[in-house]
Amino acid sequence: MKRVGFARRVGRSLAPLWPIPVIVVCWEVATRLAVNQYFPPPSQIAIQVYELWFSGPPSHLFLTEDVSTHIWPSLGRLLRAWFLACLVGVVIGVALGRSRRLADYIDPLIQFGRAIPPPTLLPLFLALFKVGPQMQIATIIFGIIWPVLLNSIEGARHIDLLHLETAAVFKISPWRRLVRIILPEAAPKIFAGLRVSLSLALILMVISEMIGGTEGIGFSLVYAGNDFDFPGMWAWLLLLGILGLIFNSILIGTERRVLSWHHRERQST
């Protein structure tokens, strides 16, 4: 019975993936018939993926030098910038959400900053930090902090007054009020901002490496295109799509676990 139940759960989890093999087969047939060098078949891209990343020595778990030179540094910069932007955005956002007067003073600056497209500030960041990781991290942080900040403000602003009044009656300390009431009730909005910011972080990571990078996924993507290595270019594009899927799945799983009480309440109403 346990094996049957496990098999059913695996089947349900894999069922939404059925379009992928269909798309791959159609892609293979279409590209074979078209014979266009700009659109190589998936089988050729798969060979390039193996040669680029998985043809290394056993001592390195079969990972090639491209993985350590380009993929790990890119992911390290992305995650550092995302964690820092999320920390700053949540802290400032909750503070502004709980102080209407402070939010009124800061709101014009927020609206001004979020209206500036992050790629347009790349020349400024290049002048300030030169070519390198600092410039790329600054670009990512500036571009992704706004959805976290705005969602944190919105979530912290709409707290149930009954809960706050009850906390005041029982003389609960401000810290416990923040941890037990404000943050849990603002968490659904905060997580929505985190998901949007993670997608933007991946995009800005690639853009910053394309323009001001000497290594990384974005740099390798441009290099492959300039070298007319179209299977390699598609391999890097495929990697970006897989990374986006993995990051989103991890964040959704974390959200469901952390906010399980919230989902139960929504289902009961």
Side-chain angles (χ1 to χ4, degrees):
M1 291 297 293
K2 290 184 178 180
R3 292 182 179 179
V4 173
F6 177 75
R8 288 178 179 175
R9 288 195 297 271
V10 172
R12 284 197 298 266
S13 62
L14 295 179
L17 302 179
W18 70 265
I20 295 179
V22 176
I23 293 174
V24 171
V25 171
C26 294
W27 185 3
E28 180 77 24
V29 173
T31 50
R32 292 286 181 184
L33 294 176
V35 192
N36 190 324
Q37 63 173 342
Y38 298 105
F39 298 96
S43 57
Q44 190 175 350
I45 298 173
I47 295 173
Q48 191 70 8
V49 166
Y50 170 77
E51 293 178 351
L52 277 173
W53 306 320
F54 302 109
S55 58
S59 59
H60 290 80
L61 300 178
F62 300 100
L63 298 178
T64 64
E65 188 177 349
D66 278 336
V67 176
S68 59
T69 303
H70 299 293
I71 297 179
W72 296 145
S74 289
L75 295 180
R77 287 189 292 268
L78 182 148
L79 293 176
R80 287 201 304 270
W82 184 72
F83 279 120
L84 184 57
C86 291
L87 177 62
V88 174
V90 170
V91 171
I92 297 178
V94 171
L96 294 178
R98 297 310 307 157
S99 175
R100 174 72 68 171
R101 180 176 298 179
L102 182 60
D104 290 339
Y105 283 120
I106 303 297
D107 186 68
L109 294 176
I110 295 176
Q111 301 305 324
F112 176 81
R114 68 186 290 243
I116 301 175
T120 61
L121 291 179
L122 276 170
L124 174 62
F125 292 139
L126 278 170
L128 291 175
F129 302 109
K130 309 301 180 183
V131 174
Q134 291 182 338
M135 180 276 296
Q136 295 159 7
I137 290 175
T139 303
I140 297 172
I141 290 175
F142 179 84
I144 70 175
I145 196 172
W146 308 111
V148 181
L149 178 63
L150 293 172
N151 277 271
S152 299
I153 293 174
E154 189 71 14
R157 182 171 291 167
H158 297 91
I159 304 297
D160 194 332
L161 290 177
L162 179 60
H163 294 166
L164 295 176
E165 291 172 355
T166 303
V169 169
F170 285 97
K171 297 181 179 180
I172 296 177
S173 65
W175 173 253
R176 292 189 62 187
R177 196 179 310 168
L178 172 67
V179 174
R180 298 293 183 88
I181 299 175
I182 296 175
L183 286 180
E185 292 197 27
K189 282 284 186 180
I190 292 175
F191 266 99
L194 297 183
R195 289 181 61 187
V196 174
S197 67
L198 189 55
S199 300
L200 291 175
L202 191 62
I203 296 171
L204 291 174
M205 177 199 73
V206 174
I207 294 175
S208 64
E209 291 175 349
M210 283 180 169
I211 297 175
T214 56
E215 41 83 20
I217 296 176
F219 172 81
S220 300
L221 179 61
V222 172
Y223 185 84
N226 292 339
D227 202 37
F228 300 101
D229 179 15
F230 298 112
M233 185 182 71
W234 279 94
W236 289 107
L237 289 172
L238 180 65
L239 174 64
L240 290 172
I242 293 174
L243 288 176
L245 178 63
I246 292 173
F247 288 151
N248 188 62
S249 299
I250 292 174
L251 201 54
I252 289 177
T254 304
E255 179 184 1
R256 287 176 178 172
R257 181 175 295 273
V258 174
L259 301 181
S260 57
W261 58 270
H262 176 69
H263 296 296
R264 287 194 298 268
E265 286 183 358
R266 292 184 60 183
Q267 293 174 357
S268 62
T269 57

